[in-house]
Amino acid sequence: MTHRVRTCLAAVLAVVCLSTSSLAWGPQGHRLVGMVASTYLTGTARQNVSWLLGTQTLADVATWADEYLEGNNQTGPWHYVNIPPFAKAYNRDRDCPRQPGVSAGGRGDQWRDCVVDRIQYNQERLADPSLDRADRAVALKFLVHFVGDLHQPFHALGVERGGNGIEVVAFGTADCSPGGMTSRPCNLHSVWDSTMIARRKLGDLQYLTVLQQLIRHKRLDREPVDSPAAWALESHALAKKGLVPEYGEIDEAYYAEHIRVVDRRLALGGLRLAALLNRSLTTPPPKE
Ligand code: ADE
Ligand code: ZN
Ligand code: ZN
């Protein structure tokens, strides 16, 4: 193979591989949640994060859980919770499936397979000083990602797999394949994961500044921190407001109405992640 052919093949593979995930805010959304959280950590929490992650930041590890999915399919349901559209509350028995092959209340049924349970599970592991440092670092990486995911409204709505099954026309195009290589229909879920965020055309630092202004102007740091079940219900309500029919149009009017919601959820995700880490990491890490 010539060098040019090889370079070209590598580029094609990169695009194909990067286009397969539909389980998360896009990378920028996740990084922003990590960046916001980093600015609200207590000194002790910050020391613990450095001890666990070394030179990496919360933003650096924010998309690790999506990469881990490859070859670890059983972690797929940890990224969302499908609350039925008519529901008025989160109901764990209805909305959070038991692990495969485990009977209700039996051994092995302590933790279930949805994002609400997996946030609590990883929070307990992060806070557990009897666990190995490496295991607590993994728990931290999952947490950064899952708190972000749960603030993406469609990660909590059980309609067409969180909107993944609702094809849409986004800003005049029905084909949302990255780079326009293979054809890939636009869907409502990915509009919320990434298309609206990308349309803002802001770099991470510029976007972080926007979110920090929003936090100040709207006093978001005084909003209740609450529990993952409450965040899920907020997301569920916001996603219902963002529903469109199959082959619906995502146009400038839709964007103008919902981009404020995207920004607010990114900011709240970061604030609540910080609060959760500050509560879990209250003793200084061991001296090296
Ligand atoms: N797959 C199935 N339901 C989903 C949801 N609500 N969000 C993301 N991926 C899903
Ligand atoms: Zn995810
Ligand atoms: Zn997603």
Side-chain angles (χ1 to χ4, degrees), residues 163-188:
N164 275 294
I166 301 177
E167 287 187 23
V168 295
V169 178
F171 307 109
T173 174
D175 181 4
C176 281
S177 45
M181 308 291 289
T182 51
S183 103
R184 186 168 222 264
C186 305
N187 72 67
L188 186 56

mmCIF file of all heavy atoms in Angstrom, residues 163-188:
data_model
loop_
_atom_site.group_PDB
_atom_site.id
_atom_site.type_symbol
_atom_site.label_atom_id
_atom_site.label_comp_id
_atom_site.label_asym_id
_atom_site.label_seq_id
_atom_site.Cartn_x
_atom_site.Cartn_y
_atom_site.Cartn_z
ATOM 1 N N GLY A 163 -35.304 8.466 21.717
ATOM 2 C CA GLY A 163 -35.293 9.271 20.488
ATOM 3 C C GLY A 163 -34.321 8.761 19.437
ATOM 4 O O GLY A 163 -34.284 9.285 18.320
ATOM 5 N N ASN A 164 -33.542 7.700 19.767
ATOM 6 C CA ASN A 164 -32.636 7.134 18.756
ATOM 7 C C ASN A 164 -33.408 6.605 17.553
ATOM 8 O O ASN A 164 -32.894 6.598 16.432
ATOM 9 C CB ASN A 164 -31.797 5.994 19.353
ATOM 10 C CG ASN A 164 -30.543 6.489 20.059
ATOM 11 O OD1 ASN A 164 -29.638 7.024 19.434
ATOM 12 N ND2 ASN A 164 -30.498 6.318 21.380
ATOM 13 N N GLY A 165 -34.660 6.175 17.805
ATOM 14 C CA GLY A 165 -35.473 5.607 16.727
ATOM 15 C C GLY A 165 -36.339 6.629 16.013
ATOM 16 O O GLY A 165 -37.172 6.257 15.202
ATOM 17 N N ILE A 166 -36.163 7.919 16.327
ATOM 18 C CA ILE A 166 -36.952 8.960 15.657
ATOM 19 C C ILE A 166 -36.064 9.675 14.642
ATOM 20 O O ILE A 166 -35.225 10.509 15.001
ATOM 21 C CB ILE A 166 -37.528 9.970 16.685
ATOM 22 C CG1 ILE A 166 -38.411 9.233 17.701
ATOM 23 C CG2 ILE A 166 -38.312 11.074 15.963
ATOM 24 C CD1 ILE A 166 -38.977 10.132 18.797
ATOM 25 N N GLU A 167 -36.228 9.304 13.386
ATOM 26 C CA GLU A 167 -35.446 9.972 12.333
ATOM 27 C C GLU A 167 -35.974 11.389 12.134
ATOM 28 O O GLU A 167 -37.184 11.610 12.189
ATOM 29 C CB GLU A 167 -35.525 9.183 11.024
ATOM 30 C CG GLU A 167 -34.718 7.899 11.075
ATOM 31 C CD GLU A 167 -34.642 7.199 9.724
ATOM 32 O OE1 GLU A 167 -34.822 7.869 8.689
ATOM 33 O OE2 GLU A 167 -34.405 5.981 9.731
ATOM 34 N N VAL A 168 -35.058 12.321 11.938
ATOM 35 C CA VAL A 168 -35.462 13.722 11.742
ATOM 36 C C VAL A 168 -34.668 14.334 10.588
ATOM 37 O O VAL A 168 -33.663 13.773 10.145
ATOM 38 C CB VAL A 168 -35.210 14.571 13.021
ATOM 39 C CG1 VAL A 168 -36.091 14.098 14.176
ATOM 40 C CG2 VAL A 168 -33.740 14.568 13.417
ATOM 41 N N VAL A 169 -35.135 15.480 10.145
ATOM 42 C CA VAL A 169 -34.376 16.295 9.201
ATOM 43 C C VAL A 169 -33.784 17.438 10.022
ATOM 44 O O VAL A 169 -34.516 18.238 10.597
ATOM 45 C CB VAL A 169 -35.276 16.843 8.078
ATOM 46 C CG1 VAL A 169 -34.468 17.733 7.145
ATOM 47 C CG2 VAL A 169 -35.932 15.698 7.314
ATOM 48 N N ALA A 170 -32.465 17.471 10.138
ATOM 49 C CA ALA A 170 -31.819 18.458 11.009
ATOM 50 C C ALA A 170 -31.184 19.553 10.165
ATOM 51 O O ALA A 170 -30.240 19.291 9.414
ATOM 52 C CB ALA A 170 -30.772 17.783 11.891
ATOM 53 N N PHE A 171 -31.721 20.741 10.297
ATOM 54 C CA PHE A 171 -31.211 21.904 9.578
ATOM 55 C C PHE A 171 -31.068 21.602 8.079
ATOM 56 O O PHE A 171 -30.036 21.855 7.467
ATOM 57 C CB PHE A 171 -29.893 22.376 10.195
ATOM 58 C CG PHE A 171 -30.017 22.614 11.674
ATOM 59 C CD1 PHE A 171 -29.412 21.756 12.590
ATOM 60 C CD2 PHE A 171 -30.771 23.676 12.165
ATOM 61 C CE1 PHE A 171 -29.537 21.958 13.961
ATOM 62 C CE2 PHE A 171 -30.912 23.883 13.533
ATOM 63 C CZ PHE A 171 -30.304 23.023 14.431
ATOM 64 N N GLY A 172 -32.135 20.996 7.544
ATOM 65 C CA GLY A 172 -32.205 20.806 6.093
ATOM 66 C C GLY A 172 -31.592 19.518 5.577
ATOM 67 O O GLY A 172 -31.681 19.236 4.382
ATOM 68 N N THR A 173 -30.951 18.727 6.446
ATOM 69 C CA THR A 173 -30.382 17.472 5.952
ATOM 70 C C THR A 173 -30.911 16.273 6.737
ATOM 71 O O THR A 173 -31.061 16.342 7.958
ATOM 72 C CB THR A 173 -28.837 17.474 5.991
ATOM 73 O OG1 THR A 173 -28.378 16.162 5.637
ATOM 74 C CG2 THR A 173 -28.301 17.810 7.363
ATOM 75 N N ALA A 174 -31.181 15.194 6.017
ATOM 76 C CA ALA A 174 -31.634 13.960 6.661
ATOM 77 C C ALA A 174 -30.454 13.024 6.898
ATOM 78 O O ALA A 174 -30.589 11.981 7.513
ATOM 79 C CB ALA A 174 -32.682 13.273 5.789
ATOM 80 N N ASP A 175 -29.269 13.404 6.391
ATOM 81 C CA ASP A 175 -28.088 12.542 6.491
ATOM 82 C C ASP A 175 -27.076 13.152 7.461
ATOM 83 O O ASP A 175 -26.475 14.173 7.179
ATOM 84 C CB ASP A 175 -27.457 12.382 5.101
ATOM 85 C CG ASP A 175 -26.243 11.477 5.150
ATOM 86 O OD1 ASP A 175 -25.949 10.919 6.234
ATOM 87 O OD2 ASP A 175 -25.585 11.318 4.104
ATOM 88 N N CYS A 176 -26.944 12.518 8.614
ATOM 89 C CA CYS A 176 -26.056 13.052 9.650
ATOM 90 C C CYS A 176 -24.771 12.239 9.777
ATOM 91 O O CYS A 176 -24.149 12.202 10.841
ATOM 92 C CB CYS A 176 -26.763 13.093 11.007
ATOM 93 S SG CYS A 176 -27.881 14.512 11.155
ATOM 94 N N SER A 177 -24.358 11.555 8.713
ATOM 95 C CA SER A 177 -23.103 10.809 8.807
ATOM 96 C C SER A 177 -21.950 11.795 8.927
ATOM 97 O O SER A 177 -21.871 12.746 8.160
ATOM 98 C CB SER A 177 -22.912 9.939 7.575
ATOM 99 O OG SER A 177 -23.224 10.686 6.418
ATOM 100 N N PRO A 178 -21.063 11.568 9.914
ATOM 101 C CA PRO A 178 -19.953 12.506 10.096
ATOM 102 C C PRO A 178 -19.053 12.471 8.867
ATOM 103 O O PRO A 178 -18.631 11.411 8.446
ATOM 104 C CB PRO A 178 -19.214 11.966 11.333
ATOM 105 C CG PRO A 178 -19.928 10.756 11.774
ATOM 106 C CD PRO A 178 -20.989 10.408 10.775
ATOM 107 N N GLY A 179 -18.784 13.618 8.308
ATOM 108 C CA GLY A 179 -17.944 13.681 7.119
ATOM 109 C C GLY A 179 -18.662 13.239 5.855
ATOM 110 O O GLY A 179 -18.069 13.222 4.787
ATOM 111 N N GLY A 180 -19.945 12.866 5.988
ATOM 112 C CA GLY A 180 -20.731 12.482 4.814
ATOM 113 C C GLY A 180 -20.232 11.213 4.130
ATOM 114 O O GLY A 180 -20.425 11.032 2.940
ATOM 115 N N MET A 181 -19.564 10.302 4.876
ATOM 116 C CA MET A 181 -19.010 9.089 4.242
ATOM 117 C C MET A 181 -20.148 8.086 3.979
ATOM 118 O O MET A 181 -20.776 8.152 2.943
ATOM 119 C CB MET A 181 -17.938 8.454 5.132
ATOM 120 C CG MET A 181 -16.852 9.418 5.580
ATOM 121 S SD MET A 181 -15.768 9.956 4.272
ATOM 122 C CE MET A 181 -14.872 8.455 3.981
ATOM 123 N N THR A 182 -20.402 7.182 4.948
ATOM 124 C CA THR A 182 -21.546 6.292 4.793
ATOM 125 C C THR A 182 -22.792 7.095 5.141
ATOM 126 O O THR A 182 -22.715 8.014 5.944
ATOM 127 C CB THR A 182 -21.431 5.125 5.791
ATOM 128 O OG1 THR A 182 -21.199 5.663 7.086
ATOM 129 C CG2 THR A 182 -20.315 4.185 5.394
ATOM 130 N N SER A 183 -23.947 6.724 4.580
ATOM 131 C CA SER A 183 -25.125 7.522 4.909
ATOM 132 C C SER A 183 -25.689 7.060 6.255
ATOM 133 O O SER A 183 -25.707 5.876 6.581
ATOM 134 C CB SER A 183 -26.159 7.399 3.786
ATOM 135 O OG SER A 183 -27.174 6.529 4.164
ATOM 136 N N ARG A 184 -26.099 8.018 7.062
ATOM 137 C CA ARG A 184 -26.563 7.729 8.420
ATOM 138 C C ARG A 184 -27.665 8.736 8.724
ATOM 139 O O ARG A 184 -27.409 9.944 8.800
ATOM 140 C CB ARG A 184 -25.371 7.936 9.364
ATOM 141 C CG ARG A 184 -25.629 7.546 10.793
ATOM 142 C CD ARG A 184 -24.285 7.532 11.537
ATOM 143 N NE ARG A 184 -24.176 6.394 12.423
ATOM 144 C CZ ARG A 184 -24.461 6.457 13.717
ATOM 145 N NH1 ARG A 184 -24.862 7.589 14.258
ATOM 146 N NH2 ARG A 184 -24.355 5.396 14.474
ATOM 147 N N PRO A 185 -28.904 8.247 8.888
ATOM 148 C CA PRO A 185 -29.992 9.202 9.078
ATOM 149 C C PRO A 185 -29.820 10.001 10.373
ATOM 150 O O PRO A 185 -29.329 9.466 11.369
ATOM 151 C CB PRO A 185 -31.236 8.305 9.176
ATOM 152 C CG PRO A 185 -30.809 6.935 8.795
ATOM 153 C CD PRO A 185 -29.330 6.851 8.938
ATOM 154 N N CYS A 186 -30.208 11.265 10.363
ATOM 155 C CA CYS A 186 -30.223 12.059 11.595
ATOM 156 C C CYS A 186 -31.322 11.510 12.493
ATOM 157 O O CYS A 186 -32.371 11.090 12.019
ATOM 158 C CB CYS A 186 -30.557 13.519 11.288
ATOM 159 S SG CYS A 186 -29.472 14.289 10.078
ATOM 160 N N ASN A 187 -31.062 11.503 13.804
ATOM 161 C CA ASN A 187 -32.146 11.135 14.725
ATOM 162 C C ASN A 187 -32.200 12.134 15.878
ATOM 163 O O ASN A 187 -31.248 12.875 16.136
ATOM 164 C CB ASN A 187 -32.002 9.685 15.204
ATOM 165 C CG ASN A 187 -30.857 9.505 16.168
ATOM 166 O OD1 ASN A 187 -30.880 10.020 17.286
ATOM 167 N ND2 ASN A 187 -29.823 8.774 15.744
ATOM 168 N N LEU A 188 -33.360 12.134 16.544
ATOM 169 C CA LEU A 188 -33.603 13.158 17.567
ATOM 170 C C LEU A 188 -32.606 13.055 18.724
ATOM 171 O O LEU A 188 -32.183 14.067 19.283
ATOM 172 C CB LEU A 188 -35.044 13.013 18.071
ATOM 173 C CG LEU A 188 -35.526 14.084 19.042
ATOM 174 C CD1 LEU A 188 -35.386 15.486 18.444
ATOM 175 C CD2 LEU A 188 -36.985 13.815 19.437
#
